[in-house]
Amino acid sequence: MPEISNDLLMQLREEESAKVALARNAATQVGIEAASLNREKIQHTSTAVSHRLDDWKATSQKKSGRCWLFSSLNFLRSRARESLGVKNFEFSQSYVFFWDKFERANWFLTDIIATSGEPVDGRLVQFLLGDVLGDGGQWDMAVSVYMKYGLVPKEVMPESEASTNSRPMNARLRAVLHIGALRLREAIAAGASAEEVDTQRRKILADVWKILVVCLGEPPVRFNWQWRDDEGNFHRDGEITPHEFYERHVGVDLSEYICLVDDPRPENPKGSMETVEHLGNVVGGRPIRYLNAPVEEIKRIAAAQIAAGEAVWFGADVSQPYDRGLGFFVTGIHDYDGLFDVDFSSTKLERVRSGESAMDHAMLFTGVDLDEAGQPRAWRVENSWGDEPGDSGFFTMDDQWFTDNVFEVVVPKSALPEDLAAAVDSEPIVLPAWDPMGTLA
């Protein structure tokens, strides 16, 4: 095995150029992001788009990983705005956060019981133990929660310290579930009956429930709902359930929406369905299913939905270069090649294969800039990082960044062309639990 020699170190020092020295002086003073910022890209990026839906305030997930919940609720709140007459209405993110955590704890314990025959230090069980009750999720996981538990207004179950800064709560939940998982496996190995194992599972869930109630509050079964619209008119629904609130003020049939993905790997052909083993949150809920589609077709369908007046949920890799302060998801916004004198170029396929890229953040498309031929040039994005970055919390994405870094969009099945629609009910390719397509936003 070759070691780093003194000759190699001497060669590297001798080859240091004036350009590298200048870059070093800049980066060490102002940081990599500022030193690499491409002024030309800033000057040539417009935040104005030809089709824009948003005229409301951006939301904030604060110090939590709830982007998939915020973005999916932001998609649904457009219907509630119309029904209620309240432009800046918000659903309770804390309410659905509670139910996702509780359901996901049960999903985890069910998985632990089902894999009790696997070695505890094997790849699968270690993967399950290492991915316990994080904040992230997928579109179908959000749908499972909303369809089972409905929705409530934010004032009915407001944010708490634990919902806006979830790390301490998550640490306590993981501690309970990690120990509980080992004890379940020990009980099964000792010959416990299915009834005894289930009793132990329910006791662990009781501890999870107590932690969630202390941290987030208890979710309402029924609540009294009355409000004033933006015109000052008073309305009263009286006492209703979360399901009744959803039916009255949202009414979207979420089963009619499908998640399109751009999986660039040739072994997973375009036009095929995909699913990921052990991925989900609600036992008995909606299975995680993706329809693999060409990225240009994904963009065409998403742009058509926006032009028709409907925002589009999507998932992207925001570990790739962008500028948070400016709110620019723009290819080349940071010239890292020039700063470091290193070629960072790679394809989407190479980044997925090497583990360099996967979907890690969910947002909402609220606008698109179409050229004279109807082709997308740029996209307007509602983020959930508050109203300070970008254009009061809204970001601008150029079309190349979409091609390179967007992995998922959600659209109605009715928007699919015939060839893709024909694949929706086909048997999916089953990907392993650790596949990059199973990464949570």
Side-chain angles (χ1 to χ4, degrees):
M1 184 177 295
E3 64 179 81
I4 295 176
S5 65
N6 287 331
D7 287 344
L8 174 59
L9 296 177
M10 185 177 298
Q11 177 186 345
L12 294 174
R13 289 192 176 101
E14 289 175 351
E15 290 177 353
E16 184 176 304
S17 65
K19 181 180 178 182
V20 170
L22 181 63
R24 177 191 62 207
N25 292 341
T28 54
Q29 290 299 308
V30 300
I32 292 171
E33 300 299 292
S36 64
L37 194 61
N38 189 331
R39 179 62 56 179
E40 184 178 1
K41 288 288 184 178
I42 297 172
Q43 292 172 339
H44 288 88
T45 299
S46 172
T47 60
V49 294
S50 61
H51 297 73
R52 174 178 167 178
L53 304 177
D54 59 271
D55 62 350
W56 52 83
K57 293 180 180 178
T59 56
S60 178
Q61 66 190 74
K62 298 188 179 177
K63 295 179 180 179
S64 72
R66 298 174 292 165
C67 60
W68 61 292
L69 293 173
F70 270 74
S71 52
S72 55
L73 291 176
N74 287 343
F75 167 74
L76 292 174
R77 69 178 179 147
S78 61
R79 304 294 182 94
R81 287 188 197 102
E82 295 175 8
S83 175
L84 299 169
V86 179
K87 182 170 67 175
N88 287 308
F89 170 83
E90 285 188 53
F91 296 106
S92 169
Q93 299 94 357
S94 192
Y95 174 79
V96 293
F97 195 41
F98 183 106
W99 286 122
D100 172 65
K101 291 292 186 188
F102 191 62
E103 285 284 353
R104 203 179 306 204
N106 184 54
W107 179 280
F108 168 75
L109 295 174
T110 303
D111 251 355
I112 289 296
I113 293 168
T115 58
S116 60
E118 298 281 338
V120 71
D121 57 353
R123 184 175 187 181
L124 176 57
V125 175
Q126 284 300 302
F127 176 83
L128 298 177
L129 290 170
D131 192 35
V132 180
L133 245 60
D135 288 353
Q138 288 275 359
W139 168 262
D140 284 324
M141 295 165 67
V143 172
S144 289
V145 172
Y146 305 162
M147 292 178 72
K148 184 169 183 178
Y149 293 104
L151 296 173
V152 303
K154 190 166 190 172
E155 51 263 49
V156 171
M157 189 170 176
E159 295 281 80
S160 68
E161 171 60 24
S163 68
T164 58
N165 181 19
S166 57
R167 182 174 294 183
M169 176 184 72
N170 288 344
R172 293 304 89 214
L173 291 168
R174 281 195 296 271
V176 165
L177 290 171
H178 277 148
I179 297 303
L182 292 182
R183 290 175 181 168
L184 278 173
R185 287 176 58 91
E186 290 166 0
I188 293 169
S193 66
E195 184 178 353
E196 290 170 332
V197 171
D198 191 60
T199 297
Q200 194 162 333
R201 177 190 65 88
R202 292 167 66 92
K203 288 180 179 177
I204 298 168
L205 286 177
D207 288 340
V208 170
W209 178 272
K210 287 183 285 188
I211 294 170
L212 290 172
V213 168
V214 168
C215 291
L216 302 176
E218 187 167 335
V221 176
R222 302 184 67 84
F223 63 97
N224 212 7
W225 176 237
Q226 56 191 47
W227 75 100
R228 284 194 181 274
D229 63 28
D230 288 344
E231 301 297 322
N233 301 311
F234 179 77
H235 307 266
R236 177 181 288 137
D237 277 352
E239 189 176 72
I240 58 174
T241 68
H243 274 294
E244 288 169 340
F245 181 82
Y246 185 95
E247 292 302 320
R248 291 185 193 183
H249 300 297
V250 183
V252 178
D253 184 359
L254 292 172
S255 67
E256 290 301 311
Y257 284 77
I258 188 164
C259 188
L260 305 180
V261 297
D262 177 27
D263 182 346
R265 296 169 294 182
E267 62 269 28
N268 301 330
K270 298 301 181 182
S272 62
M273 296 296 297
E274 297 180 359
T275 190
V276 180
E277 290 181 311
H278 302 280
L279 180 61
N281 58 344
V282 178
V283 175
R286 184 178 173 91
I288 309 299
R289 288 169 61 90
Y290 312 123
L291 174 53
N292 193 10
V295 69
E296 293 303 319
E297 186 73 355
I298 290 174
K299 288 194 284 189
R300 184 194 66 78
I301 298 170
Q305 286 301 114
I306 295 167
E310 183 171 85
V312 174
W313 184 97
F314 75 99
D317 178 11
V318 298
S319 70
Q320 301 305 314
Y322 75 99
D323 193 277
R324 179 168 181 152
L326 293 171
F328 284 171
F329 294 113
V330 172
T331 303
I333 189 69
H334 290 283
D335 183 11
Y336 296 126
D337 292 43
L339 179 67
F340 294 105
D341 194 23
V342 171
D343 181 5
F344 288 100
S345 62
S346 61
T347 66
K348 197 173 194 177
L349 173 59
E350 289 171 331
R351 292 193 299 275
V352 169
R353 284 216 190 282
S354 64
E356 173 64 16
S357 186
M359 193 271 290
D360 62 6
H361 187 52
M363 294 168 280
L364 194 70
F365 285 128
T366 61
V368 63
D369 188 35
L370 301 179
D371 64 16
E372 290 74 11
Q375 297 300 309
R377 300 171 63 240
W379 305 77
R380 185 169 170 86
V381 174
E382 179 177 5
N383 213 330
S384 53
W385 292 344
D387 60 7
E388 291 185 3
D391 180 13
S392 299
F394 290 83
F395 284 51
T396 299
M397 178 189 297
D398 74 357
D399 195 57
Q400 187 60 49
W401 203 95
F402 187 125
T403 300
D404 294 340
N405 302 305
V406 171
F407 281 93
E408 303 181 5
V409 304
V410 169
V411 297
K413 294 176 185 177
S414 59
L416 300 178
E418 287 186 9
D419 59 331
L420 291 179
V424 169
D425 295 323
S426 63
E427 283 298 309
I429 297 169
V430 180
L431 304 172
W434 43 83
D435 190 88
M437 290 300 122
T439 303
L440 301 180

